[in-house]
Amino acid sequence: MEREKLGSRLGFILLSAGCAIGCGNVWKFPWMCGQYGGGGFVLLYVLCLVVLGLPIMTMEFCVGRAAQTSPIHMYQKLEKKGQKWHIHGYVSLFGSIALMAFYTVVTGWIVYYFVQFLTGNSQNLGFSAMIADPGVNVTYLAVTVAMAFAILCFGLQSGLERVTKYMMLLLLLLMLVLAVHSFTLDGAAEGLRFYLVPDLSRITGSVVVGAMNQAFFTLSTGMGGMAIFGSYIGKEHSLMGEAIHVITLDTLVAFLAGVIIFPACFTFDLEVNAGPSLLFDTMAAVFNNMSGGRIWGSLFFLFMVFAALSTVLGVCENILAMTRELTGWSRPKGSVICGIGIFLLALTTALG
């Protein structure tokens, strides 16, 4: 089976960044930041990215470029005789599948919120009611999986790379517009002070561990996703340089998410430590009480859709590449079968 290649360096950077950028940046990072005291958590998070995230991502790119194959065969190709590193290839496959069993459901929630704001039906939205509604969970899970694997049917360059380029550029544009709007809110100064000024007295061992966990989670390292994108890097490019580009984009999106959310929370006197419901309950309340809230809410959840879907596409491409190398299936056939499999597995989350 002939190995596919990306069409441009920009495509590689945006595709790798898209895999890293997702709910970890725009959902988990803000609520963890709110629960762990704001600026101190942000400081530790950035330190963890530089000290731990950068070398690990560079190493994963290195393994991918050296092997020029997917994780399922990557370790078999590089390991010495008698070693057992190839087992990790199967761990990568099962880990990616397990992640998508949860992540596609969350992405469906975000698509649902976007549709409700777009159609003007956002007044009665609630996180608890949504996750308890099997009709919503299953319907929007199906929409998410269908979108992802339909794009992957069209090939690496004409499908995944092309869509991700436009999606990531639109994501960054939407975030900049929303961030500028947040600066105009009454509570912007107080919100940004909480978010950006470290309070060292609030840094504890749990805050350090939380920042470290978030750094690993947001970069999508350790499950083979970055390794397979590393296999698309030409030898003329610096692996550390590419890792820096990806981490910079990833951190920019997480930073802007906080800039958007915390001024809004302080303006409308809402809890910043609301946890996982911060995005769905708190931000929905913000937009429902804001002038022009339907428009701003639609734009906010549209950028959330782009962020979440970019990770779904990146990880599902990893699953598809490994499945195709194991079976020899064509891309359309593999996409359909993998999509059905992910959907059926994710039903355990959607209905749970």
Side-chain angles (χ1 to χ4, degrees), residues 4-287:
E4 297 172 292
K5 295 289 185 183
L6 291 171
S8 66
R9 184 185 181 196
L10 177 63
F12 160 75
I13 292 173
L14 292 179
L15 185 56
S16 300
C19 185
I21 293 168
C23 293
N25 302 75
V26 293
W27 177 41
K28 189 179 179 185
F29 175 76
W31 68 255
M32 288 191 71
C33 186
Q35 287 194 327
Y36 286 127
F41 175 82
V42 175
L43 176 62
L44 289 172
Y45 169 73
V46 173
L47 288 175
C48 288
L49 286 176
V50 174
V51 175
L52 300 173
L54 179 59
I56 290 174
M57 180 173 283
T58 303
M59 180 178 64
E60 199 160 330
F61 282 160
C62 181
V63 171
R65 186 164 74 176
Q68 290 293 294
T69 185
S70 78
I72 205 73
H73 290 147
M74 191 174 288
Y75 301 96
Q76 288 179 335
K77 190 172 181 179
L78 297 178
E79 70 183 3
K80 294 180 180 179
K81 188 176 180 179
Q83 292 183 327
K84 304 297 182 183
W85 285 103
H86 61 275
I87 295 173
H88 186 65
Y90 296 97
V91 173
S92 297
L93 174 59
F94 292 125
S96 297
I97 292 172
L99 175 62
M100 285 299 99
F102 164 74
Y103 207 99
T104 49
V105 176
V106 176
T107 303
W109 295 342
I110 296 169
V111 175
Y112 171 71
Y113 264 64
F114 166 65
V115 170
Q116 296 308 302
F117 269 95
L118 190 66
T119 57
N121 298 315
S122 60
Q123 292 299 322
N124 296 318
L125 286 174
F127 182 68
S128 297
M130 176 186 65
I131 64 176
D133 187 336
V136 169
N137 286 335
V138 174
T139 299
Y140 285 90
L141 165 64
V143 169
T144 300
V145 173
M147 282 195 299
F149 283 97
I151 291 169
L152 294 179
C153 279
F154 290 97
L156 189 63
Q157 288 188 29
S158 58
L160 181 61
E161 182 178 0
R162 178 179 296 177
V163 170
T164 301
K165 276 184 181 179
Y166 290 116
M167 195 164 60
M168 293 303 297
L169 293 174
L170 282 171
L171 182 151
L172 293 170
L173 177 61
L174 286 171
M175 292 198 79
L176 288 172
V177 170
L178 288 163
V180 170
H181 176 257
S182 284
F183 279 109
T184 68
L185 298 176
D186 294 338
E190 189 178 0
L192 292 174
R193 189 179 304 113
F194 168 82
Y195 179 45
L196 299 177
V197 178
D199 182 355
L200 300 183
S201 66
R202 302 186 69 172
I203 295 178
T204 63
S206 61
V207 175
V208 175
V209 173
M212 194 182 309
N213 288 340
Q214 177 62 15
F216 282 109
F217 181 79
T218 190
L219 294 181
S220 298
T221 54
M223 61 181 187
M226 290 302 152
I228 195 169
F229 296 134
S231 70
Y232 300 136
I233 303 175
K235 293 187 177 180
E236 68 276 13
H237 298 304
S238 163
L239 295 176
M240 179 170 285
E242 304 300 338
I244 290 172
H245 290 143
V246 172
I247 290 176
T248 300
L249 270 177
D250 180 80
T251 307
L252 174 64
V253 170
F255 172 77
L256 288 176
V259 169
I260 294 166
I261 289 174
F262 289 112
C265 289
F266 278 85
T267 298
F268 293 93
D269 195 26
L270 297 169
E271 291 292 334
V272 296
N273 60 350
S277 65
L278 174 64
L279 175 69
F280 295 100
D281 282 344
T282 305
M283 292 308 296
V286 166
F287 294 121

Side-chain angles (χ1 to χ4, degrees), residues 269-327:
D269 195 26
L270 297 169
E271 291 292 334
V272 296
N273 60 350
S277 65
L278 174 64
L279 175 69
F280 295 100
D281 282 344
T282 305
M283 292 308 296
V286 166
F287 294 121
N288 282 330
N289 290 283
M290 180 187 293
S291 177
R294 178 179 172 182
I295 296 173
W296 292 112
S298 297
L299 291 175
F300 177 81
F301 284 103
L302 179 59
F303 106 73
M304 286 292 305
V305 169
F306 287 157
L309 189 58
S310 67
T311 297
V312 171
L313 286 170
V315 178
C316 286
E317 168 62 23
N318 192 27
I319 294 170
L320 178 59
M322 288 189 277
T323 301
R324 291 180 65 215
E325 288 192 2
L326 284 172
T327 62

